[in-house]
Amino acid sequence: MLSDSVAYNKKLRGWLSYAFASEVFVIVSLTLFLPICLEQFARDNGFLLPGRTERCSAIAKLERGTTRCVVKIGWAWIDSASFSLYVYSISVALQALTVISMGGIADHPPHRKRLLLSFALLGSIAATIFLILPSTSPVWILVAPLAIFANVGFGASVVAMNAYLPTLARESPEVCQILAEIEDAQEAHPSNAPDESSDYPDSPLINRDTTREVDILEAKYEMELSRVTSRISSFGIALGYGAGIFLLMIALIPVTLLRGSTFALRLAIGISGIWWAILTIPAAIWLPGASGSERVEMSDTSPGQWSTKREIVAAWKRLGNMLRWIEIKKLRNTFKYLAAWFLLSDGELGSFTTITSTAILFGKTSLNMRPSALILVGVLTPTSGILGSLAWPYIQRRYGWSNLKVIIILVLMASVIPAYGCLGFLSVFQGKSTRFGGLTTQGEMFFLAVYFGSVYGAFQGYARAFYAELLPPGEEARWYGLFSITDKSSSFIGPLIVGLIADTTAVPILTNVDVERGRKDAREYRYAAT
């Protein structure tokens, strides 16, 4: 436990600074400019159907929907609009493989920081290279691996960043103060006191009062730990969203002046990469390489025998063993939450990047929204996310709600989104005099951007904060890697379960999570290797 508040504040600033640095890439590139840029690259090198002899150069002609543009990748012809979706799907699949492989390494504090910085460097450099790769280049297809490297770098570095969250909460001054009160109460009345007083009928009330006092303090400790975790997580989300909005406003200038040209899109992505790289430097300075409070459990090797290859192999073996029924029973509440998270990430609260980038493409191709309008959607969503992530901790504190209750309320609010979309299939709402639902107008896109952002901004912070309460100490990166996989699964498995079905399934699972038992199981959990 960090007793020095200066050291703790330094560590907290380092963690927040990386959220400030990395989230910009998500908001500016992954959710907005990158999918459009990839589609633009494909169009600039594609041909019009059906003849596939005329270049796709007339943007207005394509937007009217009178023809399609296809590009040849290897031996296959694919739609230019699908190119970015394929690239993104491949990137999240590789991201899943990466976070599984690095789990055991990142749980070792010195290597955790190195992994975070290494993947941050990989992702930021890949994004920056977009500045020097025009769509007219004979090697334009390199935008695909660059986008993949950038996304993998971001996802893996965020898993390492999230692994710091549980210890940041446990080491906060508020939580440490309550823990000290518990220790003082236990020292003042040792556990063997009831045995010594058993011969005196009038004295057990003292011991009962002491036990009650400790129980109250322990309940207070768990509640404060939960609130601090959600507060830090939500503040990190708000800070990252704020940075993203700031850079979006800057990127709006060249994109508007250059009328959404390929160069303008490349410039926006490149700037986000430069921002990511430069503002990671404070995190590199302030984040500690190791902490004495963190339990380190490497694979069954001595320090002299440690190797990256051995840890990667051990990570995959550990994943297989973690999914054995005997291990699942030990952490049944953690796995219940993961099951609910899997359904939610494939349903109405899917990946922020997936939903937003797909919505941007939908607005561009189906609603014929201008680049400036698409950027406005990209600004409205994270702006609402800031408000949601800051407002919900206040609401939670005001009414004394647990993290789990807040998550359930947010899920129920999110179920309105797919329900609203389904109204477009009902003829009674799509008549000549009455048109409501179905996302058929640009105004609806703006409204849902605000609503979705306000819900998801809070949900993202609370989801990882609540998950932190159910993790075995010293294994945060491994379990956050599993959390990341379920979050990204919808990107390469596909939306197999629609939002409303996911909602009606996930909420009962969430309500069945026993938080107290989950915390206890996580603290007592010890991995039993086969």
Side-chain angles (χ1 to χ4, degrees), residues 176-436:
C176 290
Q177 181 179 352
I178 300 175
L179 185 61
E181 293 175 5
I182 294 175
E183 293 173 349
D184 290 342
Q186 291 174 336
E187 290 176 1
H189 302 279
S191 58
N192 61 348
D195 294 332
E196 296 174 356
S197 61
S198 59
D199 295 334
Y200 301 93
D202 296 332
S203 63
L205 288 175
I206 300 176
N207 299 312
R208 291 175 193 167
D209 290 341
T210 303
T211 303
R212 190 180 303 111
E213 178 186 359
V214 172
D215 290 342
I216 293 174
L217 287 173
E218 288 179 346
K220 182 180 178 182
Y221 172 84
E222 297 293 352
M223 179 61 72
E224 187 63 28
L225 179 63
S226 178
R227 290 176 180 172
V228 169
T229 305
S230 61
R231 188 187 70 218
I232 294 174
S233 179
S234 297
F235 187 62
I237 296 294
L239 199 62
Y241 280 9
I245 293 170
F246 173 75
L247 198 61
L248 263 181
M249 300 305 293
I250 294 177
L252 179 62
I253 299 174
V255 170
T256 302
L257 293 177
L258 297 174
R259 298 183 179 181
S261 66
T262 306
F263 173 73
L265 299 174
R266 289 167 39 219
L267 180 63
I269 297 171
I271 291 175
S272 72
I274 294 173
W275 175 291
W276 185 3
I278 293 177
L279 293 180
T280 297
I281 295 175
I285 296 173
W286 290 331
L287 278 177
S291 173
S293 64
E294 297 181 71
R295 187 177 73 195
V296 178
E297 291 185 5
M298 302 297 286
S299 59
D300 300 330
T301 56
S302 64
Q305 298 174 322
W306 189 91
S307 70
T308 301
K309 180 180 178 180
R310 184 177 291 108
E311 287 300 322
I312 292 175
V313 173
W316 283 94
K317 290 181 179 178
R318 177 70 177 269
L319 176 65
N321 289 331
M322 280 168 57
L323 300 178
R324 291 182 300 157
W325 182 245
I326 187 174
E327 298 295 324
I328 292 176
K329 287 194 296 183
K330 292 179 182 178
L331 294 173
R332 56 174 59 88
N333 287 285
T334 305
F335 279 99
K336 283 180 184 178
Y337 180 70
L338 279 176
W341 176 244
F342 175 81
L343 293 172
L344 292 172
S345 62
D346 267 344
E348 76 275 3
L349 274 168
S351 167
F352 177 83
T353 303
T354 303
I355 290 179
T356 310
S357 60
T358 304
I360 292 296
L361 288 175
F362 175 78
K364 182 177 186 293
T365 58
S366 299
L367 300 181
N368 297 325
M369 298 179 71
R370 295 179 178 275
S372 57
L374 296 174
I375 293 176
L376 182 57
V377 171
V379 171
L380 287 174
T381 305
T383 301
S384 303
I386 293 176
L387 298 177
S389 60
L390 294 179
W392 276 97
Y394 172 78
I395 296 173
Q396 178 190 24
R397 189 165 55 251
R398 174 70 174 80
Y399 293 101
W401 291 342
S402 66
N403 285 349
L404 179 59
K405 186 170 184 177
V406 173
I407 290 175
I408 292 174
I409 292 174
L410 291 171
V411 170
L412 294 175
M413 291 177 62
S415 65
V416 173
I417 298 175
Y420 181 83
C422 290
L423 295 179
F425 296 101
L426 302 178
S427 58
V428 66
F429 292 104
Q430 301 300 318
K432 293 183 179 180
S433 59
T434 304
R435 293 186 64 84
F436 180 79

Side-chain angles (χ1 to χ4, degrees), residues 66-139:
T66 57
T67 185
R68 288 177 56 204
C69 179
V70 293
V71 62
K72 190 174 184 179
I73 307 296
W75 65 89
W77 290 90
I78 64 173
D79 192 288
S80 61
S82 301
F83 177 65
S84 65
L85 299 178
Y86 288 136
V87 171
Y88 184 73
S89 297
I90 294 172
S91 71
V92 294
L94 291 178
Q95 189 182 110
L97 297 176
T98 302
V99 297
I100 293 174
S101 301
M102 63 175 269
I105 303 174
D107 277 328
H108 192 232
H111 296 113
R112 178 187 301 167
K113 181 177 179 179
R114 294 171 193 164
L115 282 175
L116 187 153
L117 298 178
S118 298
F119 281 112
L121 185 64
L122 171 68
S124 59
I125 290 178
T128 304
I129 292 177
F130 272 80
L131 285 172
I132 60 175
L133 183 62
S135 60
T136 55
S137 171
V139 292

